Structures are given as structure tokens and as C-alpha cells.
């Protein structure tokens, strides 16, 4: 599990109350650990303190970040994105959700896939044929000498050795699954790899697969001077993916931000706050064909519009062509 989740964690010392590095195997249920932004969760646990966003793509396949706060469950192998979190340990090692998935993968490797079962049957007949050919080579060589007979028998046995059937195919399957895991793709068993050769149609969840899985601002129209500064002043207080995209759009362009009072962030409703006595809001408008549309309002008057979308990866077209 340690090639997908950290082997070390910051555990709070019950005496000094300081967080100290410790091995994941030494963690016990209800231990308190700290996970910093950009770090991978080493265990399954429950958030005790902090609010952040988590990338769960390894376990769910979804690239969209998941917001977590006190009481939320987090899993080993997922990544903390925005802010420090203190997590109470629920399970570690093989008891985690990731550990159980990997255990299922190992069990799948232990079961013989159809191609190996088939090769076992072919191999039995092949061994008999090899022994027969070896004997034929030996007896043909006897007409020359004992030395020639042994040489011919060994030559036949070495050249047509059935080790390919016994070793090469299972080894190739194991290496393929291992390399997939290192690339972040979990394959349940070798039979899955074999079935890929019979695939006729592929369905894509485009977000994070054919696209980057990260929102980017593609259009911005300022209808009133100062709308950009007000929007950025609100969004820097948020850790949501839309806010991060807006922050990247104006990074280095806007330096001085106005003071925000009464900031509020409502799930699915946007952000709001008072700036210079006026109520500014940033909320979603009706979506369009190009992406998600955001409106900036000052006292219910539209002062700016923005479109965010997830951009297609440059190599997506080539990848689909190769699959075809």
C-alpha cells in the first residue's frame, strides 16, 4: 500500500501535544494526525479540525475536488488540497479502503486467468511433444555417435523449451498490472487485462480524462470599474475549485484588494460580502455551451460576467485515435 499512500504520518503526542513523525503501521484507532495541503492521507479517518478540499480521484475516478470539514470521512490514497486538517484515525494499512482494494487485486492475481488456464492445457500436450522430439533427435544421433545423440537431444530440448507457456504469460500479466498501479490505475485482476483485447466500445467520463479536470477562466467581461477587484477580494477567502480558478486568472494582475466585511460562502450559491458599503455577490448564472457562467452583482446590479470551463487535453484526440 505504501507506493500509493505515505508510510509516515504526523501523530500528536499525548503528553507534549506536539505532532511528531511516526510510521503509519504504529498508528492506532482514534490517534490524531495532521495532514498539510498537498499531502496524501496515509489512513482512513474522520476530520476533527479544519476545512479543505480533497482529491479522491484514485478511489472514485472523479477529478472534482470534494469539500470536507469536521466529521467528514477521508481515505488513504486521497490528497488534501487546500488547508491543514487534523484527522482521527479510523483504519490503517490493510484495513483501509485502499488496502482492501489492493487485497482484492492480489486475490485476482492469485486466480488463474482464462489465457493461463488455456496455456496450461496446451503446455501439457506441448511437453509430451517436446519429449517425443527429444527422443527422436537422440535416436537419429545414435547412428553417428553417443556424443552426437546427446547433442541433438539437448538442442531440441533447449530450443523448444515450454518455459514460455509456464512463465512468460503470467509474468507479463503481473508486470502490466504493477505498471498500471504505479500510474494510478488500479486493475482488479489479470482477467481484466485479457478482456481489454475484446473491447468494442469505450465510454469516457470526460472530466479529468479527456480534459484537465481543472476549471479555467475562458471569458471575463467587466461591466463596471472595480468589479474584478471586488470579485477577487471575495474569492481569495474561498477554497473551492471555482475560487481557485478565478485566483489564477487574476494572479499578478490585481495587487491591491479592498476590505471585505460579512463574508459568506454558501454551498452551490456562491460567495458574498460587503465592500465599501455595497453588497457584492458572485453566483452562477444559467450555463451555456462553452462552460459555467458566473455573474458578479453589486446591490443586485450585474457588474461583471465570467465563463469557466474545463479545457480539453492536447493529446486527447491522438489517444482516442490510438484506441480506435
Amino acid at each position: 500500500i505504501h507506493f500509493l499512500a505515505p508510510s509516515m504520518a504526523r501523530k500528536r503526542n499525548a503528553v507534549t501535544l506536539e505532532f511528531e513523525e511516526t510510521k503509519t503501521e504504529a498508528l492506532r484507532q482514534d490517534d490524531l494526525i495532521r495532514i498539510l495541503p498537498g499531502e496524501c492521507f496515509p489512513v482512513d479517518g474522520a476530520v476533527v479540525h479544519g476545512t479543505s478540499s480533497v482529491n479522491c480521484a484514485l478511489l472514485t475516478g472523479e477529478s472534482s475536488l470534494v469539500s470536507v470539514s469536521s466529521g467528514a470521512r477521508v481515505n488513504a490514497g486521497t490528497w488534501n488540497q487546500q488547508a491543514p486538517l487534523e484527522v482521527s484515525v479510523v483504519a490503517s494499512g490493510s484495513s483501509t479502503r485502499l488496502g482492501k482494494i489492493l487485497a482484492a487485486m492480489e486475490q485476482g492475481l492469485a486466480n488463474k486467468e482464462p489465457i493461463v488456464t488455456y496455456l496450461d492445457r496446451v503446455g501439457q500436450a506441448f511437453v509430451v511433444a517436446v519429449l517425443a522430439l527429444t527422443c527422436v533427435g537422440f535416436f537419429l544421433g545414435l547412428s553417428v555417435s553417443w556424443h552426437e545423440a546427446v547433442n541433438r537431444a539437448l538442442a531440441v530440448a533447449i530450443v523448444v523449451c515450454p518455459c514460455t507457456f509456464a512463465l512468460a504469460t503470467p509474468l507479463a500479466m503481473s508486470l502490466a498490472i504493477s505498471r498500471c498501479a504505479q500510474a494510478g490505475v488500479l486493475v482488479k485482476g489479470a482477467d481484466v487485462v485479457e478482456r481489454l483485447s475484446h473491447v468494442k466500445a469505450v465510454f469516457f467520463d470526460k472530466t479529468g480524462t479527456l480534459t484537465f479536470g481543472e476549471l479555467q477562466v475562458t471569458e471575463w467581461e467587466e461591466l463596471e470599474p472595480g468589479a474584478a477587484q471586488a470579485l477577487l477580494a471575495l474569492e481569495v477567502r474561498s477554497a473551492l475549485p471555482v475560487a481557485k480558478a478565478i485566483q489564477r486568472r487574476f494572479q499578478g494582475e490585481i495587487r491591491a484588494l479592498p476590505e471585505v466585511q460579512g463574508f459568506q460562502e454558501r454551498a452551490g450559491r456562491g460567495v458574498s460580502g460587503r465592500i465599501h458599503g455595497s453588497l457584492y455577490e458572485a453566483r452562477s448564472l444559467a450555463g451555456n455551451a462553452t462552460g459555467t457562467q458566473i455573474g458578479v452583482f453589486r446591490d443586485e446590479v450585474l457588474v461583471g460576467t465570467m465563463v469557466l470551463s474545463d479545457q480539453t487535453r492536447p493529446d486527447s484526440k491522438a489517444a482516442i485515435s490510438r484506441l480506435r
Side-chain angles (χ1 to χ4, degrees):
I1 192 174
H2 293 315
F3 67 93
L4 292 175
S7 59
M8 302 294 291
R10 297 181 187 84
K11 174 188 171 183
R12 189 175 70 174
N13 188 304
V15 178
T16 63
L17 301 182
E18 296 291 331
F19 286 90
E20 303 171 349
E21 290 281 343
T22 186
K23 290 186 176 181
T24 305
E25 290 87 349
L27 295 175
R28 297 293 179 264
Q29 190 170 353
D30 297 329
D31 283 346
L32 192 66
I33 63 173
R34 174 176 288 171
I35 310 296
L36 299 179
E39 292 185 342
C40 182
F41 290 94
V43 298
D44 287 358
V47 177
V48 177
H49 298 295
T51 299
S52 186
S53 296
V54 176
N55 184 339
C56 303
L58 178 66
L59 298 181
T60 65
E62 293 291 340
S63 62
S64 299
L65 301 182
V66 177
S67 297
V68 297
S69 56
S70 180
R73 285 293 297 266
V74 291
N75 297 105
T78 61
W79 292 80
N80 183 21
Q81 297 293 312
Q82 258 88 39
L85 292 173
E86 292 184 10
V87 175
S88 176
V89 176
V90 173
S92 61
S94 60
S95 299
T96 63
R97 182 181 176 188
L98 177 62
K100 292 176 181 177
I101 292 175
L102 295 178
M105 290 174 58
E106 291 179 1
Q107 184 177 1
L109 286 173
N111 298 328
K112 286 189 176 182
E113 55 271 21
I115 189 173
V116 175
T117 303
Y118 170 74
L119 289 177
D120 285 345
R121 295 197 303 270
V122 173
Q124 291 174 0
F126 192 77
V127 169
V128 174
V130 168
L131 292 175
L133 286 173
T134 302
C135 292
V136 170
F138 178 80
F139 286 115
L140 289 176
L142 278 178
S143 61
V144 180
S145 67
W146 276 96
H147 181 73
E148 181 65 19
V150 172
N151 279 346
R152 291 187 181 187
L154 287 176
V156 172
I158 291 172
V159 170
V160 295
C161 175
C163 292
T164 301
F165 292 99
L167 300 176
T169 302
L171 180 61
M173 292 290 191
S174 297
L175 287 175
I177 291 175
S178 175
R179 293 185 66 178
C180 283
Q182 292 173 9
V185 179
L186 302 183
V187 181
K188 186 177 181 181
D191 60 312
V192 177
V193 178
E194 184 180 347
R195 289 203 301 271
L196 285 176
S197 63
H198 305 295
V199 168
K200 301 299 181 184
V202 178
F203 294 86
F204 284 100
D205 174 7
K206 70 177 182 63
T207 305
T209 306
L210 301 181
T211 66
F212 286 102
E214 186 178 80
L215 288 174
Q216 297 181 22
V217 176
T218 55
E219 298 178 26
W220 164 247
E221 183 179 5
E222 190 173 49
L223 305 177
E224 179 181 285
Q229 286 89 341
L231 173 62
L232 186 57
L234 293 173
E235 298 296 353
V236 293
R237 288 164 170 77
S238 173
L240 295 178
V242 170
K244 292 298 181 182
I246 294 173
Q247 292 171 38
R248 288 192 298 270
R249 164 63 177 80
F250 294 111
Q251 186 176 14
E253 184 177 324
I254 300 175
R255 300 184 182 278
L257 297 177
E259 183 181 351
V260 177
Q261 296 179 337
F263 174 78
Q264 287 187 332
E265 182 175 18
R266 294 171 292 175
R269 298 288 303 276
V271 295
S272 63
R274 291 197 169 273
I275 300 175
H276 303 312
S278 297
L279 177 63
Y280 279 86
E281 294 179 277
R283 60 177 185 258
S284 297
L285 301 176
N288 57 30
T290 59
T292 301
Q293 192 170 21
I294 302 293
V296 182
F297 296 85
R298 181 182 59 79
D299 295 329
E300 296 299 330
V301 177
L302 186 66
V303 295
T305 60
M306 173 178 288
V307 176
L308 300 98
S309 62
D310 189 6
Q311 301 298 298
T312 304
R313 293 178 182 269
D315 56 354
S316 291
K317 185 176 181 179
I320 293 174
S321 298
R322 290 183 64 189
L323 285 175
R324 286 175 175 162

